[in-house]
Amino acid sequence: MQFPESWLRSLVDPKLSTDELAHTLTMAGLEVDDLQPAVPPFSGVVVARIEDIAPHPDADKLRVCKVNDGSGELLQIVCGAPNAAAGITVPLARIGARLPGDMKIGKAKMRGVESFGMLCSARELGMSQDHSGLMLLPESLVPGTDIRQALDLEDMVFTLKLTPNRADCLSILGVAREVTALTGAPLTVPSMTPVAVTIDDRLPVKVSAPDLCGRFAGRVIRGVNARAASPDWMKTRLERAGMRSISALVDISNYVMLELGRPTHVFDLDKVPGELEVRWGRAGENLELLNGQTIALDETVGVITAAGQVESLAGIMGGEATSVTLDTQNIFVEAAFWWAEAIAGRPRRFKFSSEASHRYERGVDYATIPEHLERITALILQICGGQAGPLQDQVLALPERKPVRMRLARCRRVLGVPVTGEEAADIFTRLSLPFTREGDDFIVTPPSYRFDINIEEDLIEVVARIHGFESIPDVPPMARAKMRAEPETHRGPHALRRLVAARDYQEVVNYSFVEADWERDYAGNDEPVRLLNPIASHMSVMRSSLIAGLVANIRHNANRKQTRVRVFELGGVFLRDAAVADGPLSVAGVSQPMRLAGAAWGPAVAEQWGEAARQVDFFDVKMDVQALFGTRANSLRFTAAPHPALHPGRSARIELDGKAVGWIGELHPRWAQQAELAHAPVVFELDAAVLQAGVMPVVGEISRQPVVLRDLALWVKADTPAQALLDTVERAVRADAKLAVVRDVRLFDVWREKPQGGQGAAQTPAEKSLAFRFWLQDTEVTLDEARVSECMARLLEALSAAHGARLRD
């Protein structure tokens, strides 16, 4: 909600400075998100009048003007504006003036003719983007007057960041009501005196959908002059409220919407072919809107039709066919109460929004429609002339505003402030909230414009806002201090974040709703959980994987010249429960597990002199994953398996104790190319619940005996994974008591013969060599050579029996 301060002060003028007023509104829940001057600062610009004009002696497009700036002497100004003419009043930047952009005006010579200043366009003063010619000022202004004073350019523009429930403040009058309640300054309500009815013309209207429209009113006005100019004061207020001036009729409609919060629509009566009907749309119908967009309608969208032809999208936007133009002479002004449920979400379906729909889907006052129609009628007759017909008003179904009870004791308990009954009564009175008292209980009947008051807590919020959040004392909580022991077998989400951050990853937070294509490409999910009311067309489904979002983060950074990106996210995913996959989707039919995902792209380590640069690879990220599992890393298994998002030959399913807990791998080349990445990132995704479950540390005896190291190099088949041999060693150690001295074993070398070339293609070697290092240690005695040799022989025997391994010479 944007508006100029001067407009607000025309309704209520508290004795507060601009900054104090902004602070008061913010602390009352109407956050002032921005506060800027109506135009950028500049100085040295005055009102001037061109008294005489002559061609430039040496330039066809330049002219020499004699300008009266109120100093008593005419100034010579060289100007190239096409609309420069004798007798017009324009802004003049004198020598020494400073314009927006810190441009200083000095004496200049243009094609041999001296110029003592500059005549300005609106864009040069930062007042608009119009630079087609000089800015024309009202002739009533006196030359020499500072233009900032003459045009009230010291005005400030407020931008409020309203919460969705405060639809009553989407108007100047609504904000003024709040200021009155907060400061006690008197409120001046715009005049809504009924106009004189001079004709008896009516337009028949039939409302066939009370669940769409609860009240419909309008009136015929004939003989308007649509070419009449909008008053300067109206155009200024509209422009400072973020709206451009279009034509008198449109400007008046927009003005009343901003002033009173009442969206209206003006039909060109001569283009309306017959009786209006308010109903739900029908499949196959189309409508060209005022914005030039043609939309297909259905039974979920409200429309206004004339003689069976759709003319307007109810509560959202009018149609082009019956729109007013500069040639319009007869009009029908419409104002209605549209149910919020009938409007909400419809504009987003058609990928646009409007000021009217923004208000209707939050709730618009239904009781003051006739008064507001009188206001817009009076402005039309005042500016465009014409004759007004009788007011047509149909009331069909209005909201029932049930009284809301507030218990004073509960108000005190919630706020922690000893609010008195007299203070609560004063607050409700200042806000014009009708109430009755039953002891210490207040029974408040919400006004027709306050759709935010429905339960007791809403009234407590009202009391808190007007009482003042700053008036609530800062009292530290009083509670028994009790130390809580952190469970050793469970890691919370913050602990997981710290672990991943310690591995040189940065956390990101992405939207849970994503593109449907992402789900298909990165998760192989053709049936994602779809949103009924997405905030954008490209965010229409709920994610079942975090990988796509991380790839988008990497692409975003790569496009901004970042060469090394390591990101992670801890967040929920949304999966259909298998038990209800064939039934209707509900909250119970969707599981929402937490996942931890990471992605690394670019050099393995930041650029430095001590280590040669190389791209991060599968094994770098595998080491990070193992570090996250801590002491359980030895139980992890990385099994080669395909995944829709990953490279077919460089991906693995992560298993813990035989159960799948995640995935790791290099991004599929197709998706890396689609993301325009020079090389593929390596990603992983893990079940967060498994990571959070830890293992209780077990105290073990530390041996004082020396450690014996032995290496074992074996030939095995080329397709035998090293992990299979490690698993065999682990089983053998558990099964054979004589192998209990084996403390650890690690793979430290892999060697393959080079492919042998022949007459055909090169042949892949049938075997490979794997070298393992064993750590042996007893807790009681020093191991002798005979015992060590026996252990190694038993290990070789187990490996030979399980995998056909043989010693490498």
Side-chain angles (χ1 to χ4, degrees):
M1 175 66 184
Q2 177 180 320
F3 58 87
E5 180 183 6
S6 59
W7 195 354
L8 176 63
R9 288 188 182 272
S10 68
L11 300 186
V12 57
D13 191 9
K15 294 181 179 179
L16 298 174
S17 67
T18 300
D19 290 337
E20 290 172 338
L21 178 59
H23 179 75
T24 299
L25 288 172
T26 297
M27 295 311 299
L30 306 182
E31 181 185 353
V32 178
D33 189 50
D34 194 19
L35 183 61
Q36 296 290 339
V39 296
F42 59 81
S43 62
V45 181
V46 299
V47 176
R49 183 172 293 113
I50 300 177
E51 302 292 351
D52 187 33
I53 188 168
H56 190 287
D58 196 27
D60 294 337
K61 295 185 178 180
L62 297 179
R63 281 170 286 183
V64 181
C65 305
K66 298 296 182 180
V67 178
N68 175 11
D69 70 339
S71 62
E73 296 183 4
L74 296 181
L75 295 180
Q76 179 174 284
I77 307 291
V78 177
C79 176
N83 64 338
I88 64 173
T89 304
V90 294
L92 167 66
R94 289 171 168 168
I95 293 176
R98 286 192 177 274
L99 301 185
D102 200 29
M103 182 173 69
K104 186 175 181 180
I105 302 301
K107 178 181 176 182
K109 182 176 288 188
M110 303 179 69
R111 291 290 187 96
V113 178
E114 290 185 326
S115 181
F116 299 89
M118 184 178 78
L119 302 180
C120 303
S121 67
R123 188 168 76 169
E124 288 163 337
L125 298 179
M127 298 177 65
S128 75
Q129 293 301 311
D130 183 13
H131 62 288
S132 58
L134 299 177
M135 179 180 178
L136 301 181
L137 302 177
E139 296 182 1
S140 58
L141 297 181
V142 178
T145 306
D146 188 298
I147 194 171
R148 297 192 72 90
Q149 297 178 1
L151 300 182
D152 191 24
L153 300 184
E154 301 298 340
D155 198 4
M156 299 294 290
V157 175
F158 284 65
T159 301
L160 301 186
K161 187 177 182 181
L162 298 174
T163 53
N165 64 321
R166 293 309 306 272
D168 60 300
C169 290
L170 287 171
S171 66
I172 303 298
L173 179 59
V175 177
R177 278 194 296 250
E178 290 289 307
V179 174
T180 294
L182 292 167
T183 65
L187 175 65
T188 303
V189 178
S191 174
M192 302 180 197
T193 305
V195 302
V197 176
T198 56
I199 59 175
D200 194 36
D201 292 17
R202 303 169 187 265
L203 178 62
V205 179
K206 176 184 177 183
V207 180
S208 302
D211 56 337
L212 167 65
C213 178
R215 186 173 187 176
F216 192 95
R219 80 176 344 143
V220 172
I221 304 177
R222 292 192 177 275
V224 298
N225 176 17
R227 295 182 179 273
S230 299
D232 291 335
W233 58 267
M234 180 177 287
K235 290 194 292 186
T236 299
R237 287 180 173 179
L238 289 174
E239 289 169 358
R240 293 180 185 177
M243 288 189 170
R244 62 186 180 90
S245 175
I246 298 175
S247 67
L249 291 173
V250 176
D251 290 351
I252 293 169
S253 178
N254 288 336
Y255 182 85
V256 171
M257 178 180 65
L258 294 175
E259 180 183 58
L260 305 176
R262 172 67 57 198
T264 59
H265 184 63
V266 183
F267 291 90
D268 187 325
L269 189 59
D270 296 327
K271 297 178 182 178
V272 177
E275 177 187 65
L276 295 183
E277 181 182 7
V278 179
R279 61 170 173 81
W280 292 103
R282 296 165 185 164
E285 291 182 325
N286 296 293
L287 173 64
E288 182 182 0
L289 299 169
L290 289 172
N291 62 4
Q293 181 179 348
T294 300
I295 59 174
L297 306 173
D298 58 28
E299 297 81 358
T300 64
V301 180
V303 296
I304 301 176
T305 67
Q309 179 179 343
V310 180
E311 302 292 356
S312 178
L313 197 58
I316 300 175
M317 186 176 290
E320 179 65 27
T322 55
S323 62
V324 295
T325 66
L326 295 180
D327 296 323
T328 296
Q329 296 181 346
N330 305 306
I331 61 174
F332 180 76
V333 184
E334 164 264 314
F337 170 71
W338 307 99
W339 291 95
E341 297 81 1
I343 305 300
R346 274 66 171 185
R348 287 187 290 276
R349 278 181 49 192
F350 301 117
K351 301 180 178 62
F352 74 90
S353 182
S354 68
E355 291 286 344
S357 66
H358 183 73
R359 287 162 172 78
Y360 278 125
E361 63 187 358
R362 288 162 173 77
V364 174
D365 186 3
Y366 55 83
T368 55
I369 291 178
E371 291 83 355
H372 293 176
L373 272 175
E374 296 291 356
R375 172 65 172 165
I376 190 173
T377 302
L379 289 173
I380 291 174
L381 297 182
Q382 174 188 338
I383 297 170
C384 302
Q387 295 178 299
L391 191 67
Q392 304 171 223
D393 186 15
Q394 297 184 53
V395 179
L396 297 101
L398 297 180
E400 179 185 0
R401 306 313 310 274
K402 296 181 179 180
V404 180
R405 179 183 294 268
M406 186 192 79
R407 296 163 290 173
L408 193 59
R410 174 161 175 77
C411 179
R412 292 168 179 165
R413 186 165 61 252
V414 171
L415 299 182
V417 176
V419 179
T420 65
E422 290 71 22
E423 185 177 2
D426 178 61
I427 289 173
F428 294 145
T429 302
R430 286 154 60 185
L431 284 170
S432 300
L433 300 179
F435 67 92
T436 59
R437 292 188 64 171
E438 294 180 1
D440 280 345
D441 290 3
F442 289 81
I443 296 89
V444 178
T445 302
S448 57
Y449 53 85
R450 291 299 297 267
F451 289 87
D452 61 313
I453 300 177
N454 297 290
I455 58 176
E456 184 177 24
E457 283 71 15
D458 296 332
L459 291 176
I460 295 175
E461 178 188 345
V462 168
V463 173
R465 289 193 308 102
I466 305 303
H467 175 81
F469 293 116
E470 291 180 306
S471 301
I472 299 177
D474 295 328
V475 180
M478 301 294 291
R480 184 184 298 275
K482 182 179 180 181
M483 298 295 293
R484 293 191 176 186
E486 293 188 5
E488 294 186 68
T489 58
H490 180 80
R491 293 185 291 192
H494 293 303
L496 290 183
R497 292 185 177 99
R498 287 193 295 270
L499 283 173
V500 188
R503 304 298 301 179
D504 197 21
Y505 289 82
Q506 291 182 307
E507 185 178 13
V508 296
V509 180
N510 293 313
Y511 281 110
S512 296
F513 16 87
V514 298
E515 299 181 34
D517 290 347
W518 285 10
E519 280 297 292
R520 183 191 66 240
D521 296 342
Y522 289 90
N525 186 6
D526 293 325
E527 291 295 331
V529 178
R530 296 190 177 276
L531 293 169
L532 296 178
N533 186 23
I535 64 171
S537 59
H538 64 282
M539 307 173 84
S540 59
V541 302
M542 303 302 291
R543 65 186 180 185
S544 64
S545 170
L546 305 181
I547 293 176
L550 297 179
V551 174
N553 298 140
I554 292 176
R555 178 179 184 177
H556 178 85
N557 282 273
N559 289 341
R560 285 153 182 81
K561 307 303 180 183
Q562 298 300 309
T563 57
R564 183 174 185 267
V565 183
R566 296 168 68 89
V567 291
F568 80 93
E569 182 175 10
L570 178 63
V573 297
F574 301 80
L575 309 172
R576 294 183 186 273
D577 284 345
V580 294
D582 297 330
L585 184 61
S586 64
V587 175
V590 178
S591 61
Q592 302 180 34
M594 294 292 291
R595 297 282 174 80
L596 175 67
W601 178 80
V605 295
E607 186 176 1
Q608 56 169 298
W609 60 269
E611 185 173 343
R614 65 175 180 83
Q615 295 297 322
V616 67
D617 60 23
F618 178 95
F619 298 100
D620 293 317
V621 178
K622 177 185 176 184
M623 182 171 60
D624 293 333
V625 171
Q626 290 174 319
L628 296 179
F629 280 90
T631 58
R632 295 184 295 166
N634 290 335
S635 300
L636 288 178
R637 297 294 178 265
F638 296 83
T639 305
H643 187 280
L646 305 179
H647 192 296
R650 300 174 188 174
S651 64
R653 181 175 58 250
I654 305 174
E655 299 176 354
L656 180 66
D657 298 328
K659 179 183 177 182
V661 296
W663 290 89
I664 184 174
E666 189 176 292
L667 189 68
H668 196 292
R670 182 189 305 163
W671 312 137
Q673 182 180 13
Q674 186 183 79
E676 299 177 343
L677 298 175
H679 45 269
V682 182
V683 301
F684 68 86
E685 186 170 29
L686 305 169
D687 185 345
V690 176
L691 281 173
Q692 289 181 301
V695 177
M696 179 67 74
V698 178
V699 178
E701 182 181 358
I702 298 177
S703 176
R704 297 184 178 183
Q705 306 303 321
V707 176
V708 178
L709 301 181
R710 286 290 185 272
D711 293 345
L712 197 61
L714 305 170
W715 285 107
V716 295
K717 292 182 179 180
D719 59 353
T720 303
Q723 187 62 55
L725 276 73
L726 293 172
D727 292 343
T728 299
V729 171
E730 183 180 353
R731 288 193 296 270
V733 170
R734 287 201 304 265
D736 191 342
K738 292 186 177 182
L739 295 179
V741 295
V742 178
R743 299 300 182 192
D744 195 10
V745 56
R746 297 178 188 175
L747 175 72
F748 71 89
D749 183 57
V750 178
W751 186 84
R752 294 181 176 86
E753 291 184 354
K754 294 182 179 180
Q756 298 296 322
Q759 295 180 352
Q763 298 180 356
T764 302
E767 291 185 316
K768 64 182 176 182
S769 171
L770 300 178
F772 297 91
R773 179 158 295 162
F774 293 84
W775 282 258
L776 297 89
Q777 185 183 41
D778 198 332
T779 58
E780 301 294 337
V781 298
T782 301
L783 296 176
D784 55 25
E785 183 62 30
R787 190 174 176 187
V788 171
S789 298
E790 182 183 5
C791 287
M792 298 305 296
R794 287 175 177 269
L795 290 171
L796 178 59
E797 181 182 354
L799 292 171
S800 298
H803 306 287
R806 69 180 194 280
L807 279 174
R808 176 181 171 186
D809 296 334

